[in-house]
Amino acid sequence: MSAVFEEGQLYSAVTTDADGTVQVHLADNHPGLADPAYLARRGEIAAAALAHRPGAPLPVIDYTAEEHGIWRTVCTELAPKHERYAHPEFLAGKAALGLPTDHVPQLAEVTALLEPLTGWSYTAAPGLVPLRDFYGDLGRRVFNSTQYLRHGSQPLYTPEPDILHEVVGHGNQLASPRFAAITEAAGQASLRLESDEAVKFVADVFWFSMEFGVMADGDALKAYGAGILSSYGEMDEFGHMEIRPLDLHQMGTLNYDITSYQPVLFRAESVQHLEDVVGQFFATVDDDLAARLRAEAAATV
């Protein structure tokens, strides 16, 4: 069954026609590709994000009964998986945040729940956000989130990040002050880095930690990464992958396929260990350090 629930991480391209119509270009494997109503809905939601200006109220999406039903289905299915596979630090954040499970929350609603806990807020994105913009906003404790939902024909599958990934995965993670501080440090690192290569190195370390990180919990291996914990299928599979100790050289240079389960994962021994290695790296990295780590990694291949 895991193949049915696999989650990729590709954002669909968004374009604006000469007449102002916003189109979302879905991948060939997207369940909604041949659904005109879904395509129109995606364009409508993307247009709301494109029209949003910083400082203005966040776009309010009038979600349909079907969309609320998708949210309920996924939240219901993920809950027991979280209890089994999520690290206690993530579960504590999830309990503190208290996201609604009966309806799709507006991003302003998520912000209202999250801000008192860790000072983070959400803003609307139509899809992919340029790397420097995305991480720059993380440095200001702002998370760029899509507002659309996956296609209703396969509610537990999505080939791209949707609001369920952005909010259930990242929002619950950001409700932990310790995870939120590591994420903010990654964003602040991007603001002081000059080379695109250094920013990419930081983003790749982030991928193998805050997106797809695993962590010891006594004798058990648990997940804390948002990419794992928003994916029904990946939660069943991560324990069977190649698990390596935290290694900044490898995390910043290892090639990975964003459309499939991650075959190599990096294990922290505790939240303190993650802070000492990854958090400290984000807090101190400069262009020279990133270049040196990349060169040392290449020299060992």
Side-chain angles (χ1 to χ4, degrees), residues 127-180:
L128 182 66
V129 177
L131 199 63
R132 281 191 177 273
D133 293 345
F134 179 81
Y135 277 89
D137 280 344
L138 293 186
R140 293 178 278 271
R141 288 187 285 186
V142 175
F143 193 91
N144 282 267
S145 174
T146 56
Q147 292 176 284
Y148 57 81
L149 287 104
R150 72 272 315 265
H151 193 259
S153 65
Q154 298 184 50
L156 293 172
Y157 165 82
T158 177
E160 59 185 341
D162 65 351
I163 191 171
L164 279 150
H165 167 75
E166 319 274 38
V167 172
V168 174
H170 285 285
N172 286 322
Q173 188 187 67
L174 290 170
S176 156
R178 300 177 77 176
F179 288 153

Side-chain angles (χ1 to χ4, degrees), residues 86-94 114 117-118 120 138 141 143 169-187 206 209-211 213-216 222-226 229 268-275 278-279 282:
H87 189 273
E89 184 70 19
F90 180 93
L91 292 175
K94 181 178 178 178
L114 185 59
L117 299 176
T118 58
W120 279 75
L138 293 186
R141 288 187 285 186
F143 193 91
H170 285 285
N172 286 322
Q173 188 187 67
L174 290 170
S176 156
R178 300 177 77 176
F179 288 153
I182 296 171
T183 303
E184 182 181 0
F206 188 91
S209 55
M210 307 316 291
E211 285 285 2
V214 295
M215 186 179 294
K222 298 295 180 72
Y224 68 91
L229 292 171
E269 297 307 314
S270 64
V271 180
Q272 184 67 57
H273 184 217
L274 182 71
E275 292 168 333
V278 173
F282 289 151

Side-chain angles (χ1 to χ4, degrees), residues 246-259:
L246 292 182
D247 184 317
L248 294 172
H249 295 84
Q250 294 181 34
M251 295 166 77
T253 57
L254 188 67
N255 289 327
Y256 52 88
D257 181 355
I258 63 177
T259 65

Side-chain angles (χ1 to χ4, degrees), residues 167-210:
V167 172
V168 174
H170 285 285
N172 286 322
Q173 188 187 67
L174 290 170
S176 156
R178 300 177 77 176
F179 288 153
I182 296 171
T183 303
E184 182 181 0
Q188 290 178 342
S190 77
L191 294 172
R192 65 176 178 270
L193 295 173
E194 295 183 7
S195 76
D196 291 342
E197 292 80 9
V199 174
K200 178 64 163 54
F201 195 98
V202 165
D204 288 346
V205 172
F206 188 91
W207 175 268
F208 283 112
S209 55
M210 307 316 291

